[in-house]
Amino acid sequence: MHDPVDSSGFDEALERAARLVRASQRLAVLTGAGISAESGLATFRGAGGLWEGHRVEDVATPRAFEADPALVWRFYNLRRANLAKVLPNPGHHALVQIEQRFQDGFTLVTQNVDGLHQAAGSLNVLEIHGALRRVRCTGCGRVEDRGVEALSELPSCRHCGALLRPDVVWFEEMLPPGVWSQAERAVQRCQCLLVVGTSAVVYPAAGLIDQARRWGARVIEVNLAMTEATASVDVALHGPSGTILPDLIKRL
Ligand code: BJW
Ligand code: ZN
């Protein structure tokens, strides 16, 4: 948890963060894999962030899928199966409580594809990198929610027979335009952006932090470690989001 030697500094930072949230009519939140780490899901770039020796950058690309769709599907089938075993943690639940406080003035932009925000009860969620539960046909383009159902290594479309792919955004692919423009609008309109559990290295998602600042918002970061964004935020809270977010709520 937070460094006990620095507990007064941490307390002060927590209070400053609470003040920024309280002073806002509109709050946007950007989450990444770190918020789900305490639910038992691996992050992408931390220790153990490799899958069968592959970096995510080598599996999550259209080129990798073209070259070896079975390998890519093995990776995604494992992760889909994991979803059946995990539950939202206190960090996800805290964001539900914050949404209840802001109601229409709240937007949760997530890079996560695990669906845990919705499972916790968050309502206004924008999934900018897609969702593991959904598949998309490479032939007819149909999108279907297949939940955590076990799929084969080369699953095919029930309508046209073509190969299915996970409905997620791989490197070098565009983000879903409608969802992305809603995310940009939310960060441009908010007075405060809360950035939780992301290394802030993947664009264009990380660019939302700069956009928020350019449009006048204050930025609070909650992360176990320093990130690419830390130097430019107003308040950095270092520690696990499953503890810090519930602590923050107590101060609102
Ligand atoms: C805790 C914690 C706890 C742990 N509590 N915290 C050069 C420069 C700039 C950009 C580019 C470039 N070369 C290429 C690009 C573009 C590229 C990109 O950004 N690359 C960078 C890596 C350099 N971006 C794209 O390609 C995007 N598309 C695009 O740009 O289109 C235009 C284009 C078209 C044609 C050609 C080129 C461009 C698409 C990006 C899609 C990203 N997709 C993935 C996979 C999704 C599906 C899946 O899940 O498999 O999205 S990659 C992966 O990274 C996933 C994540 O959403 C994303 C972000 O990761 P995240 O969430 O930040 O996780 P980690 O692991 O990095 O960090 C976890 C954090 O949590 C850490 O900080 C921990 O400390 C913390 N933490 N436990 C609090 N308990
Ligand atoms: Zn099809």
Side-chain angles (χ1 to χ4, degrees), residues 137 140 157 160:
C137 177
C140 68
C157 176
C160 77

Side-chain angles (χ1 to χ4, degrees), residues 43-60:
T43 61
F44 292 96
R45 294 171 186 82
L50 288 180
W51 174 75
E52 289 189 4
H54 304 280
R55 295 181 316 149
V56 64
E57 285 81 356
D58 299 331
V59 197

Side-chain angles (χ1 to χ4, degrees), residues 33 38 44-45 76 79 129 169 172-173 198-199 203 223:
E38 289 158 79
F44 292 96
R45 294 171 186 82
Y76 282 97
R79 291 177 54 204
H129 288 167
V169 181
E172 294 171 24
E173 292 187 317
T198 177
S199 57
Y203 281 80
N223 199 299

